[in-house]
């Protein structure tokens, strides 16, 4: 794992866009070029880390002040502890974090709940670009539960 650099944006975009395309319930609203520009912005405007293996980006996490703004893994990186490592990096030095997750993303919801996040707000999706119901999770230091 290392700090993300602007040069990682293309590989990060492939991971994120791949998830969008592979998720049947998720509308794909942006092109790969748009997603790459977004990922480039993350590398500059957030505390962003990439998990790499042989220089291949397997996943990334981006944290704003007290928000996880993105956490995505390539399909072959899932179930290997990489997401947990990235999330631990996002938690480092923080007393609390928040994030949004789509209600339909059952796997991500289980993952966040295993890592101490608690659902605090449910919406109908009117406030997100995808117009999909989502849930706001909050993690506070010390509320970890065993996996």
């Amino acid at each position: 794992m290392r700090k993300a650099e602007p040069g990682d944006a293309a590989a990060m975009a492939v991971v994120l866009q791949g998830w969008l395309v592979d998720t049947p319930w998720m509308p794909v609203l942006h092109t790969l070029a748009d997603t790459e520009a977004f990922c480039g912005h993350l590398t500059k405007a957030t505390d962003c880390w990439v998990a790499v293996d042989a220089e291949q980006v397997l996943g990334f996490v981006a944290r704003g002040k007290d928000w996880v703004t993105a956490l995505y893994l390539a399909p072959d990186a899932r179930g290997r502890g990489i997401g947990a490592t990235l999330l631990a990096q996002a938690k480092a030095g923080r007393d609390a974090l928040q994030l949004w997750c789509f209600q339909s993303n059952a796997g991500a919801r289980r993952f966040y709940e295993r890592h101490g996040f608690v659902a605090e707000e449910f919406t109908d999706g009117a406030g997100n670009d995808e117009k999909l119901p989502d849930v706001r999770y909050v993690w506070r230091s010390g509320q970890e539960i065993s996996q």
Side-chain angles (χ1 to χ4, degrees), residues 109-131:
R109 292 183 63 191
R110 284 189 303 271
F111 170 79
Y112 291 126
E113 290 167 7
R114 277 194 316 267
H115 291 279
F117 283 81
V118 176
E120 293 207 356
E121 177 184 3
F122 291 82
T123 79
D124 63 4
N128 62 55
D129 292 343
E130 296 83 2
K131 305 300 181 216

Side-chain angles (χ1 to χ4, degrees), residues 15-138:
V15 170
L16 172 50
Q17 196 78 5
W19 179 81
L20 294 169
V21 169
D22 291 343
T23 304
W25 50 264
M26 184 62 146
V28 178
L29 303 176
H30 305 284
T31 66
L32 181 59
D34 293 337
T35 303
E36 184 175 341
F38 170 72
C39 290
H41 169 76
L42 290 178
T43 67
K44 297 172 188 168
T46 68
D47 187 21
C48 189
W49 293 80
V50 290
V52 295
D53 183 20
E55 296 306 310
Q56 178 185 0
V57 172
L58 301 177
F60 66 95
V61 66
R63 180 190 71 200
K65 184 177 184 226
D66 292 320
W67 286 84
V68 174
T69 56
L71 181 98
Y72 292 94
L73 296 174
D76 59 344
R78 296 179 192 141
R80 297 172 41 192
I82 295 168
T85 299
L86 288 167
L87 189 58
Q89 179 62 44
K91 290 177 175 180
R94 296 290 189 244
D95 292 326
L97 282 176
Q98 299 182 72
L99 59 85
W100 288 102
C101 183
F102 293 107
Q103 290 181 33
S104 296
N105 196 344
R109 292 183 63 191
R110 284 189 303 271
F111 170 79
Y112 291 126
E113 290 167 7
R114 277 194 316 267
H115 291 279
F117 283 81
V118 176
E120 293 207 356
E121 177 184 3
F122 291 82
T123 79
D124 63 4
N128 62 55
D129 292 343
E130 296 83 2
K131 305 300 181 216
L132 295 173
D134 54 8
V135 55
R136 183 175 56 86
Y137 278 97
V138 177

